[in-house]
mmCIF file of all heavy atoms in Angstrom:
data_model
loop_
_atom_site.group_PDB
_atom_site.id
_atom_site.type_symbol
_atom_site.label_atom_id
_atom_site.label_comp_id
_atom_site.label_asym_id
_atom_site.label_seq_id
_atom_site.Cartn_x
_atom_site.Cartn_y
_atom_site.Cartn_z
ATOM 1 N N LEU A 1888 11.090 11.767 -11.344
ATOM 2 C CA LEU A 1888 11.956 12.824 -10.831
ATOM 3 C C LEU A 1888 11.133 13.973 -10.249
ATOM 4 O O LEU A 1888 11.488 14.551 -9.214
ATOM 5 C CB LEU A 1888 12.876 13.333 -11.943
ATOM 6 C CG LEU A 1888 13.901 12.329 -12.485
ATOM 7 C CD1 LEU A 1888 14.634 12.928 -13.672
ATOM 8 C CD2 LEU A 1888 14.894 11.915 -11.394
ATOM 9 N N VAL A 1889 10.031 14.290 -10.901
ATOM 10 C CA VAL A 1889 9.163 15.366 -10.415
ATOM 11 C C VAL A 1889 8.571 15.011 -9.055
ATOM 12 O O VAL A 1889 8.573 15.834 -8.130
ATOM 13 C CB VAL A 1889 8.036 15.655 -11.433
ATOM 14 C CG1 VAL A 1889 6.922 16.479 -10.805
ATOM 15 C CG2 VAL A 1889 8.607 16.377 -12.640
ATOM 16 N N ILE A 1890 8.041 13.800 -8.926
ATOM 17 C CA ILE A 1890 7.468 13.373 -7.647
ATOM 18 C C ILE A 1890 8.519 13.437 -6.542
ATOM 19 O O ILE A 1890 8.252 13.882 -5.415
ATOM 20 C CB ILE A 1890 6.901 11.939 -7.765
ATOM 21 C CG1 ILE A 1890 5.712 11.917 -8.737
ATOM 22 C CG2 ILE A 1890 6.492 11.398 -6.402
ATOM 23 C CD1 ILE A 1890 4.506 12.701 -8.281
ATOM 24 N N PHE A 1891 9.744 13.029 -6.858
ATOM 25 C CA PHE A 1891 10.824 13.054 -5.872
ATOM 26 C C PHE A 1891 11.156 14.495 -5.479
ATOM 27 O O PHE A 1891 11.322 14.801 -4.284
ATOM 28 C CB PHE A 1891 12.062 12.356 -6.447
ATOM 29 C CG PHE A 1891 13.200 12.236 -5.477
ATOM 30 C CD1 PHE A 1891 13.249 11.184 -4.587
ATOM 31 C CD2 PHE A 1891 14.210 13.183 -5.454
ATOM 32 C CE1 PHE A 1891 14.294 11.070 -3.681
ATOM 33 C CE2 PHE A 1891 15.256 13.087 -4.555
ATOM 34 C CZ PHE A 1891 15.307 12.021 -3.666
ATOM 35 N N GLN A 1892 11.271 15.378 -6.461
ATOM 36 C CA GLN A 1892 11.624 16.770 -6.168
ATOM 37 C C GLN A 1892 10.529 17.476 -5.373
ATOM 38 O O GLN A 1892 10.812 18.275 -4.468
ATOM 39 C CB GLN A 1892 11.905 17.528 -7.468
ATOM 40 C CG GLN A 1892 13.179 17.109 -8.177
ATOM 41 C CD GLN A 1892 14.423 17.317 -7.322
ATOM 42 O OE1 GLN A 1892 15.212 16.402 -7.111
ATOM 43 N NE2 GLN A 1892 14.598 18.520 -6.806
ATOM 44 N N LEU A 1893 9.279 17.193 -5.683
ATOM 45 C CA LEU A 1893 8.181 17.772 -4.914
ATOM 46 C C LEU A 1893 8.216 17.306 -3.465
ATOM 47 O O LEU A 1893 7.951 18.074 -2.539
ATOM 48 C CB LEU A 1893 6.836 17.400 -5.552
ATOM 49 C CG LEU A 1893 6.483 18.101 -6.859
ATOM 50 C CD1 LEU A 1893 5.234 17.469 -7.474
ATOM 51 C CD2 LEU A 1893 6.259 19.597 -6.638
ATOM 52 N N TRP A 1894 8.554 16.041 -3.261
ATOM 53 C CA TRP A 1894 8.645 15.498 -1.896
ATOM 54 C C TRP A 1894 9.745 16.209 -1.101
ATOM 55 O O TRP A 1894 9.536 16.612 0.053
ATOM 56 C CB TRP A 1894 8.919 13.998 -1.978
ATOM 57 C CG TRP A 1894 9.237 13.365 -0.657
ATOM 58 C CD1 TRP A 1894 8.372 13.093 0.358
ATOM 59 C CD2 TRP A 1894 10.527 12.927 -0.219
ATOM 60 N NE1 TRP A 1894 9.038 12.512 1.407
ATOM 61 C CE2 TRP A 1894 10.360 12.391 1.075
ATOM 62 C CE3 TRP A 1894 11.803 12.922 -0.804
ATOM 63 C CZ2 TRP A 1894 11.430 11.865 1.803
ATOM 64 C CZ3 TRP A 1894 12.852 12.390 -0.086
ATOM 65 C CH2 TRP A 1894 12.663 11.874 1.206
ATOM 66 N N ILE A 1895 10.910 16.372 -1.694
ATOM 67 C CA ILE A 1895 12.006 17.055 -1.013
ATOM 68 C C ILE A 1895 11.598 18.469 -0.620
ATOM 69 O O ILE A 1895 11.842 18.933 0.494
ATOM 70 C CB ILE A 1895 13.262 17.091 -1.915
ATOM 71 C CG1 ILE A 1895 13.917 15.719 -1.948
ATOM 72 C CG2 ILE A 1895 14.254 18.131 -1.417
ATOM 73 C CD1 ILE A 1895 15.183 15.666 -2.771
ATOM 74 N N SER A 1896 10.925 19.146 -1.546
ATOM 75 C CA SER A 1896 10.511 20.530 -1.302
ATOM 76 C C SER A 1896 9.452 20.615 -0.213
ATOM 77 O O SER A 1896 9.540 21.450 0.700
ATOM 78 C CB SER A 1896 9.992 21.142 -2.603
ATOM 79 O OG SER A 1896 9.455 22.425 -2.380
ATOM 80 N N GLN A 1897 8.450 19.762 -0.286
ATOM 81 C CA GLN A 1897 7.336 19.853 0.649
ATOM 82 C C GLN A 1897 7.726 19.505 2.075
ATOM 83 O O GLN A 1897 7.211 20.076 3.024
ATOM 84 C CB GLN A 1897 6.190 18.944 0.187
ATOM 85 C CG GLN A 1897 5.473 19.472 -1.040
ATOM 86 C CD GLN A 1897 4.332 18.567 -1.455
ATOM 87 O OE1 GLN A 1897 4.379 17.370 -1.263
ATOM 88 N NE2 GLN A 1897 3.302 19.142 -2.042
ATOM 89 N N TYR A 1898 8.645 18.569 2.230
ATOM 90 C CA TYR A 1898 9.039 18.138 3.568
ATOM 91 C C TYR A 1898 10.382 18.712 4.000
ATOM 92 O O TYR A 1898 10.907 18.343 5.048
ATOM 93 C CB TYR A 1898 9.045 16.608 3.644
ATOM 94 C CG TYR A 1898 7.648 16.046 3.602
ATOM 95 C CD1 TYR A 1898 7.112 15.558 2.415
ATOM 96 C CD2 TYR A 1898 6.837 16.064 4.733
ATOM 97 C CE1 TYR A 1898 5.811 15.072 2.359
ATOM 98 C CE2 TYR A 1898 5.541 15.577 4.684
ATOM 99 C CZ TYR A 1898 5.042 15.087 3.503
ATOM 100 O OH TYR A 1898 3.734 14.622 3.447
ATOM 101 N N ASN A 1899 10.905 19.632 3.191
ATOM 102 C CA ASN A 1899 12.173 20.298 3.518
ATOM 103 C C ASN A 1899 13.216 19.258 3.933
ATOM 104 O O ASN A 1899 13.844 19.343 4.994
ATOM 105 C CB ASN A 1899 11.958 21.323 4.646
ATOM 106 C CG ASN A 1899 13.125 22.277 4.781
ATOM 107 O OD1 ASN A 1899 13.871 22.516 3.824
ATOM 108 N ND2 ASN A 1899 13.314 22.805 5.988
ATOM 109 N N VAL A 1900 13.357 18.244 3.094
ATOM 110 C CA VAL A 1900 14.197 17.089 3.411
ATOM 111 C C VAL A 1900 15.670 17.489 3.397
ATOM 112 O O VAL A 1900 16.161 18.089 2.439
ATOM 113 C CB VAL A 1900 13.940 15.950 2.412
ATOM 114 C CG1 VAL A 1900 14.872 14.776 2.694
ATOM 115 C CG2 VAL A 1900 12.487 15.508 2.490
#
Side-chain angles (χ1 to χ4, degrees):
L1888 295 174
V1889 165
I1890 295 295
F1891 184 85
Q1892 290 300 126
L1893 287 171
W1894 171 74
I1895 285 182
S1896 174
Q1897 288 181 329
Y1898 289 99
N1899 195 25
V1900 177

